[in-house]
Amino acid sequence: MQMWMEMGLRAAFRRLATQWLTGSWCFFIFQAKLVGHYILNEIRYGGAAYVSTGRGLPTQRRPFIGVLDKTTGKLAQVGGLYLDYAALTYYDAIKLLLSTILVLWIEPMAGGVAWTFVAVTIISWLYAPFLFNPYQFSKLYFPQDLLSWWTFFFRESSSHWMRWYDHTQLRPKRGFRHAVWDIKFLLGFFILAV
């Protein structure tokens, strides 16, 4: 609206089209999900601290799962986009996708605009890290990523995946007291929303 008032309707539409074509909507939806996740965890558990991302320049490519040792075929370095964001966005995106399919299968209740926003959210949560990773879909790197994915999940009796899952997903919880506070927080949020 401000752009339209200051520079005219043509400039406003050009700006809107540029933002949609460059995928900025995808980045900001994904960023909002991550910020929301960390703020909610901070409210629940406390312990705020600066955590370095370890990310280099934005022109450096990040692998999907890890880096393979070319001589042995084993994972030399575990860590990549999937492992960084699986628990934060991918699992929630799959849950939202399956819930949406179930609702649409049973009985669609909302108009097309609402489903469009849900679809945009699902796409953003699933694909944003890959869209903004340089050379993610390059012919040179795709076979390496596929092989590292296969190694991570299926070779060596899935030991890489089990070690990652134990370390990140099955973290020691903080006891029953914190679970009760989570429930109280959720109920309080719904009461305030109503």
Side-chain angles (χ1 to χ4, degrees), residues 38-51 174 178:
Y38 284 113
I39 287 176
L40 189 59
N41 276 353
E42 195 54 43
I43 291 170
R44 284 183 184 159
Y45 307 116
Y50 174 75
V51 178
R174 297 179 185 219
H178 287 285

Coordinates of all heavy atoms in Angstrom, one line a residue, residues 38-51 174 178:
Y38 N 12.0 -21.3 18.6 CA 13.0 -20.9 19.6 C 12.5 -20.1 20.7 O 12.8 -20.2 21.8 CB 14.3 -20.3 18.9 CG 15.1 -21.4 18.2 CD1 15.3 -21.4 16.9 CD2 15.8 -22.3 19.0 CE1 16.0 -22.4 16.2 CE2 16.5 -23.3 18.4 CZ 16.7 -23.3 17.0 OH 17.4 -24.3 16.4
I39 N 11.6 -19.2 20.3 CA 10.9 -18.3 21.4 C 10.1 -19.2 22.3 O 10.1 -19.0 23.5 CB 10.1 -17.2 20.7 CG1 11.1 -16.1 20.2 CG2 9.2 -16.6 21.8 CD1 10.4 -15.0 19.4
L40 N 9.3 -20.1 21.7 CA 8.5 -21.0 22.6 C 9.4 -21.9 23.5 O 9.0 -22.0 24.6 CB 7.6 -21.9 21.7 CG 6.5 -22.7 22.4 CD1 5.6 -21.8 23.1 CD2 5.8 -23.5 21.4
N41 N 10.4 -22.4 22.9 CA 11.3 -23.2 23.8 C 12.0 -22.3 24.9 O 12.2 -22.8 26.0 CB 12.4 -23.9 22.9 CG 11.9 -25.2 22.4 OD1 10.8 -25.6 22.7 ND2 12.7 -25.8 21.5
E42 N 12.3 -21.1 24.6 CA 12.9 -20.2 25.6 C 11.9 -19.9 26.7 O 12.2 -19.9 27.8 CB 13.3 -18.9 24.9 CG 14.2 -18.1 25.7 CD 15.4 -18.9 26.2 OE1 16.0 -19.6 25.4 OE2 15.8 -18.7 27.3
I43 N 10.6 -19.7 26.3 CA 9.6 -19.5 27.3 C 9.4 -20.8 28.2 O 9.3 -20.7 29.4 CB 8.3 -19.1 26.7 CG1 8.4 -17.7 26.1 CG2 7.1 -19.1 27.7 CD1 7.2 -17.3 25.2
R44 N 9.4 -21.9 27.6 CA 9.2 -23.2 28.3 C 10.4 -23.5 29.2 O 10.2 -23.9 30.3 CB 9.0 -24.3 27.3 CG 7.7 -24.4 26.6 CD 7.7 -25.6 25.8 NE 6.5 -25.7 25.0 CZ 6.4 -26.4 23.9 NH1 7.5 -27.1 23.4 NH2 5.3 -26.5 23.2
Y45 N 11.6 -23.5 28.6 CA 12.7 -24.1 29.3 C 13.8 -23.1 29.8 O 14.6 -23.4 30.7 CB 13.4 -25.1 28.4 CG 12.5 -26.2 27.9 CD1 12.3 -26.3 26.5 CD2 11.8 -27.0 28.7 CE1 11.4 -27.2 26.0 CE2 11.0 -28.0 28.2 CZ 10.7 -28.1 26.9 OH 9.9 -29.0 26.4
G46 N 13.8 -21.9 29.3 CA 14.8 -20.9 29.7 C 16.2 -21.3 29.1 O 16.3 -22.2 28.2
G47 N 17.2 -20.6 29.6 CA 18.6 -21.0 29.2 C 19.0 -20.3 27.9 O 19.7 -20.9 27.1
A48 N 18.6 -19.1 27.7 CA 19.0 -18.3 26.5 C 20.5 -18.2 26.4 O 21.2 -17.9 27.4 CB 18.4 -16.9 26.5
A49 N 21.1 -18.4 25.2 CA 22.5 -18.3 25.0 C 22.7 -18.1 23.5 O 21.9 -18.6 22.7 CB 23.2 -19.5 25.5
Y50 N 23.7 -17.4 23.1 CA 24.1 -17.3 21.7 C 24.6 -18.6 21.2 O 25.6 -19.1 21.8 CB 25.0 -16.1 21.5 CG 25.5 -16.0 20.1 CD1 24.7 -15.5 19.1 CD2 26.8 -16.5 19.7 CE1 25.1 -15.5 17.8 CE2 27.2 -16.5 18.4 CZ 26.3 -15.9 17.5 OH 26.7 -15.9 16.1
V51 N 24.1 -19.1 20.1 CA 24.6 -20.3 19.5 C 25.0 -19.9 18.1 O 24.2 -19.5 17.3 CB 23.5 -21.4 19.5 CG1 24.1 -22.6 18.8 CG2 23.1 -21.7 20.9
R174 N 13.1 -32.9 31.0 CA 13.4 -32.3 32.3 C 12.4 -32.7 33.3 O 12.2 -32.0 34.3 CB 13.4 -30.8 32.1 CG 14.5 -30.4 31.1 CD 14.4 -28.9 30.9 NE 15.4 -28.6 29.9 CZ 16.2 -27.5 30.0 NH1 16.1 -26.7 31.0 NH2 17.0 -27.2 29.1
H178 N 8.0 -30.2 34.1 CA 8.1 -29.4 32.9 C 6.9 -29.7 32.0 O 6.4 -28.9 31.2 CB 9.4 -29.5 32.2 CG 10.5 -28.7 33.0 ND1 10.6 -27.4 33.0 CD2 11.5 -29.2 33.8 CE1 11.6 -27.0 33.7 NE2 12.1 -28.1 34.2

